[in-house]
Amino acid sequence: MSKTIFEKIIAREIPAQIVYEDELVCAFRDVNPQAPTHVLIVPKQPIPRIGEAQPADEKTIGHLLLKAAEVAAQLGLQQTGYRLVFNHGRDAGESVPHLHCHILGGRKMAWPPG
Ligand code: AMP
């Protein structure tokens, strides 16, 4: 299997602005930001998408969510708020087959999402 673009970022094969990393997850700024703050947090183990996560991924995904909140706070979004988004599949607009959580903030969000 060829590496996903996010595996290449984790391996430092392509550049990214990494804002947080530990043994399980990596967070970096989205190259095409949709909000003043737009960071992706991904598991280092390449789960394709949330709907294909397995029971064995529970620890990783739980960790990823807790770290998403920590990264959002680190980026100054704790008081104003932020949105966490997982896109699964075509209708949601998923474009990279490596599970990722969007952390979006720094502006007022619309609801429902488009
Ligand atoms: P999704 O549409 O949910 O699959 O989101 C994929 C996201 O990855 C998009 O917001 C892209 O802008 C972002 N993206 C793609 N390539 C890169 C890259 N090399 N560095 C940072 N973000 C990327």
Side-chain angles (χ1 to χ4, degrees), residues 53-94:
Q54 301 298 313
D57 300 321
E58 184 174 349
K59 178 183 169 197
T60 300
I61 292 172
H63 181 79
L64 182 144
L65 280 172
L66 289 172
K67 291 299 170 185
E70 278 186 30
V71 168
Q74 173 195 317
L75 295 172
L77 302 175
Q78 178 75 12
Q79 298 305 321
T80 50
Y82 54 90
R83 185 169 289 172
L84 302 182
V85 174
F86 291 86
N87 290 322
H88 173 113
R90 186 187 55 209
D91 280 358
E94 178 203 307

Side-chain angles (χ1 to χ4, degrees), residues 1-74:
M1 287 283 279
S2 60
K3 283 184 183 172
T4 67
I5 196 158
F6 296 161
E7 285 178 279
K8 291 178 184 170
I9 287 172
I10 292 162
R12 308 309 201 262
E13 291 170 12
I14 60 172
Q17 289 184 54
I18 294 174
V19 299
Y20 177 79
E21 184 172 29
D22 63 24
E23 71 284 6
L24 291 179
V25 300
C26 183
F28 49 88
R29 293 193 187 274
D30 196 294
V31 77
N32 182 23
Q34 301 301 310
T37 299
H38 187 174
V39 163
L40 303 173
I41 183 164
V42 311
K44 288 188 166 176
Q45 163 201 350
I47 302 162
R49 54 192 60 80
I50 191 67
E52 290 173 39
Q54 301 298 313
D57 300 321
E58 184 174 349
K59 178 183 169 197
T60 300
I61 292 172
H63 181 79
L64 182 144
L65 280 172
L66 289 172
K67 291 299 170 185
E70 278 186 30
V71 168
Q74 173 195 317

